[in-house]
Amino acid sequence: MSQPAYLHLVLGESAGGCLRAAVATYGLTGHVHVFDDDLSHGPLNDKQVRAAYFGALFQNYGQLPDDPLPSLADFDNLSTQLTQDDKPEVCVWAGENASERTFLEMACHGLRDFKGAVMRVGATGLKSPPYIGPQTPALLARLFDRREEVDMATRAALSSAYLHQRDSGATLRKWEAGKIIGVSDDYYDSLLLACCPPEWICAAHVIGTAMGRSDEHNLLSDVFLSGRLQHLIAKGLIEASGPQTSLRDYSVRLT
């Protein structure tokens, strides 16, 4: 009997690169499909609104003009393709963190009409931090052998959880006590303020310090923190000096 053809769904280019290396070097079988996004923040109910949200964040971050903006993962075409062929099995790679758990819920919603097997890797066995991207290809290949099936009832519950998230209007999500909760946009502002001294310092250094102090289940991206830093500057809580076109172009200090 031939082995099933696996379609690996993973969030982020870093995680995708690790999975591709596991396929190339450690015998992991199947095709890797990458959704390049960070689902721990940003609206989930509209692709254009989400793209505009990230566009605003990148204005002062220093993104190249031709770089694509993150948008909502598009499962429509993928789901249609899978429903026409019941041979592939889907494996969703998602650790216990806000971004990847949201991805798992979104995947279960997007594949709600898929009748084939859906597996998951990442519920257990990941090294700290519990994200797919920081793991070694060798570990990912071993964990695939311990993959767990996501049965239809669980898929339905995860799909429902995604719809609740999507329709809640929250734009910032946090992993807490084994589940995702919505928090206010300014939830991490106090962390940024604590990382900003009264003396002038490069904005990139403040962002890097805040990233280093973040919870391992809720890693904060420099893009997100750059946007919050701009908010604090606009509120007058942090002062900026220099052209604010890139994190390395300007300095900041507490007002």
Side-chain angles (χ1 to χ4, degrees), residues 79-246:
S79 180
T80 301
Q81 176 186 344
L82 287 170
T83 54
Q84 294 172 353
D85 186 352
D86 60 358
K87 292 180 181 178
E89 295 189 10
V90 173
C91 184
V92 183
W93 295 74
E96 298 290 84
N97 59 76
S99 182
E100 293 176 353
R101 180 56 177 255
T102 301
F103 178 64
L104 174 65
E105 294 177 354
M106 180 185 290
C108 288
H109 178 68
L111 301 175
R112 59 193 177 277
D113 296 325
F114 177 56
K115 304 304 181 184
V118 175
M119 316 299 288
R120 180 197 177 185
V121 175
T124 59
L126 298 181
K127 304 290 186 181
S128 179
Y131 289 73
I132 301 300
Q135 312 304 316
T136 65
L139 176 60
L140 295 183
R142 292 195 301 270
L143 290 179
F144 181 67
D145 292 333
R146 293 154 48 189
R147 59 195 177 277
E148 303 172 358
E149 183 175 4
V150 186
D151 60 36
M152 294 300 292
T154 304
R155 287 158 64 175
L158 290 170
S159 174
S160 178
Y162 169 70
L163 291 176
H164 177 75
Q165 279 201 76
R166 185 194 69 181
D167 299 337
S168 70
T171 57
L172 184 58
R173 289 163 283 282
K174 184 176 185 291
W175 181 260
E176 185 173 291
K179 64 180 181 180
I180 300 172
I181 61 171
V183 295
S184 62
D185 292 348
D186 62 357
Y187 185 86
Y188 294 106
D189 286 3
S190 60
L191 172 62
L192 271 174
L193 289 169
C195 295
C196 188
E199 303 83 17
W200 289 110
I201 190 172
C202 179
H205 183 82
V206 174
I207 297 297
T209 302
M211 291 173 67
R213 295 182 184 178
S214 61
D215 168 14
E216 68 166 11
H217 292 275
N218 298 283
L219 299 183
L220 303 174
S221 72
D222 51 357
V223 174
F224 167 74
L225 289 172
S226 173
R228 295 312 304 172
L229 184 64
Q230 285 296 312
H231 178 78
L232 292 172
I233 292 170
K235 287 183 65 177
L237 298 176
I238 289 179
E239 185 179 1
S241 174
Q244 298 170 47
T245 55
S246 171

Side-chain angles (χ1 to χ4, degrees), residues 47-83:
K47 292 181 180 181
Q48 293 182 340
V49 172
R50 183 170 178 80
Y53 165 86
F54 275 96
L57 293 185
F58 276 114
Q59 284 182 357
N60 303 99
Y61 172 77
Q63 183 203 30
L64 295 176
D66 295 333
D67 283 354
L69 292 173
S71 187
L72 290 176
D74 186 1
F75 283 94
D76 294 341
N77 294 332
L78 183 61
S79 180
T80 301
Q81 176 186 344
L82 287 170
T83 54

